[in-house]
Amino acid sequence: MTVDEGRRITITAIAREAGVSVPTVSRVLNGRSDVAPQTRERVEELLRRHGYRRRAARPRVSASLIDLVFNDLDSPWAVEIIRGVEDVAHAAGVGTVVSAIHRRTASTRQWLQNLRTRATDGVVLVASDLAPPVHAELRRLNVPMVLVDPAGVPTLDIPTIGATNWTGGLRATEHLLSLGHERIGFIAGNPQMLCSRARLDGYRAALEAAGVPMHDELIQPGDFYHESGLEGTKALLSLDNPPTAIFASSDQMAFGAYEAVRQRGLRVPDDVSVVGFDDLPEARWSSPPLTTIRQPLAEMGLLAARTVLRLAQGEAVETPRVELATDLVVRDSTKAR
């Protein structure tokens, strides 16, 4: 290879050939210690083979950034994920860029354009189905990615972090059954989300195991937000034979259920028991304090950040699919029938 050819080789080309991100190559060039030994050796060998020469006039420094991408940021649920990612990023000396794409093609396109202008270490996508064009572009840029609570079935080469949603749905329903409730209403989450379907399947499994008939009229659509919990509960309480208990697929919908119960002149839990899902901080402050399924949102963000930083350093991920345990937290919104 001639000197001129060596000067034309780019960090991006080296990263692509090494199978790592651009920031990883930059860290090797800058003598950073946070690169796996085997990865460092592979990158250095490619730099020598191609005769790469740094340009003194434009030194490149690793950006040390994690891109954290949500569809929406108008939920306490998102704040908990951010808290977990930030804890890891702060400890590692890495910055965090938080974006919301609002399920819009134009917003996604703008985010990708912004991503091209900064050397991010990796991307954590939350509640996303990772459209093929986005996946392809991130692969082209050699940017590591991790999905938290994926909407659809992710490809096998992308690590995912989730929670045991089916088990959570089962335990919430079993708790209400143990209190003598048999007419148990269910308010579903976004039907496009895997976690929503898993919680509904857990609810159905608990009823079937207990020999309790399942009625379609007791299942109401929702989207995880307060308003859908309110409207779903109004519909349930308007039935000729309304439920004595309601399992809402999110805490926010459970708070909407509280409001609907009060509007009918009824009380939680004296007239209607309510169970949520998430265990947001507000759950313990509500009146009455909410019985709910705790999913470890902050821990999910923490593990996602650790995983994407490991990938950025060229390390392998032994377990591409991780589900963290959910737990039933019994407070004052449920009682025996």
Side-chain angles (χ1 to χ4, degrees):
M1 178 178 290
T2 67
V3 171
D4 286 344
E5 287 174 327
R7 284 176 178 166
R8 283 201 296 270
I9 194 71
T10 65
I11 288 180
T12 301
I14 294 291
R16 186 178 298 114
E17 187 170 348
V20 299
S21 66
V22 170
T24 297
V25 177
S26 183
R27 282 195 292 268
V28 171
L29 285 168
N30 290 320
R32 292 264 298 271
S33 61
D34 52 344
V35 180
Q38 289 183 337
T39 302
R40 180 184 300 280
E41 183 178 341
R42 183 165 71 252
V43 171
E44 288 177 342
E45 195 279 328
L46 286 171
L47 291 169
R48 288 192 297 270
R49 183 195 308 170
H50 291 296
Y52 177 82
R53 296 184 180 186
R54 296 183 64 177
R55 300 186 181 212
R58 294 183 63 189
R60 186 180 179 90
V61 180
S62 175
S64 293
L65 291 174
I66 295 175
D67 266 77
L68 178 56
V69 185
F70 294 86
N71 280 313
D72 299 290
L73 286 170
D74 54 352
S75 165
W77 181 89
V79 174
E80 292 299 298
I81 297 283
I82 293 171
R83 185 163 63 84
V85 172
E86 276 289 309
D87 284 348
V88 171
H90 178 74
V94 174
T96 306
V97 178
V98 179
S99 305
I101 57 177
H102 306 293
R103 298 180 177 84
R104 297 172 187 160
T105 301
S107 298
T108 302
R109 191 183 304 118
Q110 182 61 55
W111 169 69
L112 284 172
Q113 181 60 40
N114 293 339
L115 191 70
R116 295 184 193 104
T117 65
R118 58 177 177 264
T120 189
D121 286 314
V123 173
V124 174
L125 295 129
V126 182
S128 169
D129 58 1
L130 193 60
V134 176
H135 187 190
E137 181 63 9
L138 292 175
R139 285 294 181 208
R140 189 186 72 80
L141 295 171
N142 286 303
V143 175
M145 67 193 93
V146 174
L147 293 177
V148 175
D149 243 353
V153 179
T155 59
L156 295 176
D157 61 336
I158 305 174
T160 64
I161 311 295
T164 53
N165 290 287
W166 184 89
T167 301
L170 181 81
R171 293 195 65 188
T173 310
E174 286 179 338
H175 170 66
L176 293 170
L177 289 166
S178 73
L179 295 174
H181 299 281
E182 293 190 354
R183 292 281 293 177
I184 301 173
F186 180 84
I187 306 177
N190 184 332
Q192 296 179 343
M193 299 288 295
L194 282 176
C195 62
S196 300
R197 300 196 290 272
R199 293 170 198 179
L200 175 57
D201 288 344
Y203 161 83
R204 287 171 168 158
L207 293 178
E208 182 178 0
V212 174
M214 186 179 63
H215 303 282
D216 290 341
E217 65 183 4
L218 291 178
I219 300 175
Q220 292 294 318
D223 59 9
F224 293 129
Y225 289 96
H226 183 281
E227 187 66 24
S228 66
L230 173 67
E231 296 303 321
T233 303
K234 284 181 177 179
L236 289 170
L237 296 180
S238 296
L239 295 172
D240 291 338
N241 184 14
T244 60
I246 294 172
F247 170 29
S249 293
S250 75
D251 285 355
Q252 286 187 282
M253 291 199 300
F255 299 144
Y258 274 24
E259 184 177 349
V261 170
R262 293 187 186 110
Q263 288 179 4
R264 290 291 292 252
L266 303 174
R267 293 174 297 173
V268 176
D270 295 339
D271 301 302
V272 182
S273 288
V274 176
V275 176
F277 201 113
D278 285 329
D279 196 25
L280 297 174
E282 295 90 332
R284 66 186 72 115
W285 306 330
S286 60
S287 180
L290 178 67
T291 294
T292 187
I293 297 295
R294 179 183 182 271
Q295 64 166 334
L297 296 169
E299 290 92 332
M300 288 161 63
L302 182 148
L303 184 56
R306 284 179 177 167
T307 301
V308 83
L309 289 177
R310 286 184 60 193
L311 292 172
Q313 293 169 20
E315 298 181 23
V317 176
E318 296 82 6
T319 307
R321 300 284 181 271
V322 176
E323 285 193 343
L324 301 183
T326 52
D327 298 297
L328 174 67
V329 181
V330 179
R331 296 194 178 99
D332 299 334
S333 64
T334 54
K335 66 180 294 187
R337 184 181 175 190

